[in-house]
Amino acid sequence: MEATAHVTDFETGAGLPTKKLGMWVFLCSEVMFFTGLIGGYIVLRFGAAMWPVPSTILNVPLTAVNTFVLICSSVTMVLALSAAQRGELAKMKGYLLATCLIGATFLGVQVYEYHHLLFVEHFTPAGSLFGSVFFTTTGFHGFHVFCGVSCMAFATIKAFRGKYTQADHDGIEVLGLYWHFVDLVWILVFTFIYLI
């Protein structure tokens, strides 16, 4: 009887599934990207002779609430993965949908903040070095959240179509890694740009 070769997802040599290893490599490149943005902000902030106090321009209380909203989305993402691992697929679908909606809420608040800053306060990227760094850093982060929400919507649709099971839910785990990274980066962005 001829033995059949069973190809698994553990062929990276690193003991990790290929998808998960790929996400970790991608996140390492993203760490370097955001380190450059935040590091550049710190150098400019403390090297400038004059720098505005962020709380005089930015709506820190609103953004603090929005930060809490994004952290809540990390919690629902953890609950979605946990439900998938336990085979509670109805709960998994609900938590994925919640994560998607909470992420979209975060983006909505950020769009509101941008509108207010640009058209009410007339705080623009061209108006000051602080404005340039603020919009660049928060804008790139917002783009990452938008990509995450888009992927989350796709994963949620797949979940409602029955594509994830207790045995096969790698997509949720890999997406969760990205989502937690985006949340962690926002905590750093909020701390350095809004509070310091």
Side-chain angles (χ1 to χ4, degrees):
M1 185 171 165
E2 185 179 322
T4 58
H6 180 66
V7 180
T8 66
D9 200 23
F10 288 89
E11 295 187 6
T12 63
L16 286 173
T18 306
K19 294 174 192 172
K20 194 183 290 187
L21 179 64
M23 181 55 76
W24 279 113
V25 170
F26 172 71
L27 292 180
C28 285
S29 71
E30 291 293 288
V31 165
M32 291 184 274
F33 177 76
F34 279 105
T35 299
L37 285 175
I38 294 170
Y41 173 81
I42 292 169
V43 169
L44 292 171
R45 163 74 175 88
F46 293 105
M50 296 285 292
W51 196 267
V53 177
S55 61
T56 61
I57 299 170
L58 307 175
N59 190 337
V60 176
L62 174 67
T63 308
V65 170
N66 209 24
T67 301
F68 177 74
V69 165
L70 196 61
I71 291 168
C72 289
S73 74
S74 257
V75 172
T76 56
M77 189 69 216
V78 168
L79 293 171
L81 177 59
S82 178
Q85 290 169 336
R86 292 190 312 270
E88 298 174 350
L89 302 183
K91 286 184 179 179
M92 173 197 70
K93 293 172 191 175
Y95 287 130
L96 283 174
L97 183 60
T99 305
C100 194
L101 293 174
I102 295 169
T105 300
F106 174 86
L107 282 176
V109 173
Q110 193 169 28
V111 167
Y112 167 80
E113 179 188 29
Y114 270 31
H115 180 270
H116 182 78
L117 289 171
L118 291 167
F119 300 109
V120 177
E121 299 292 330
H122 303 290
F123 176 64
T124 65
S128 68
L129 187 56
F130 177 52
S132 178
V133 176
F134 169 80
F135 283 105
T136 299
T137 305
T138 59
F140 272 112
H141 179 269
F143 173 72
H144 281 75
V145 175
F146 174 77
C147 291
V149 168
S150 300
C151 292
M152 193 72 63
F154 178 74
T156 303
I157 291 167
K158 279 183 69 174
F160 276 92
R161 290 183 175 173
K163 302 294 184 181
Y164 296 119
T165 64
Q166 184 174 10
D168 182 17
H169 55 269
D170 292 343
I172 296 171
E173 187 172 3
V174 171
L175 181 56
L177 291 173
Y178 176 82
W179 194 252
H180 298 315
F181 170 79
V182 168
D183 290 3
L184 177 62
V185 166
W186 178 253
I187 292 170
L188 296 174
V189 168
F190 175 66
T191 301
F192 284 105
I193 292 183
Y194 286 80
L195 301 179
I196 294 178

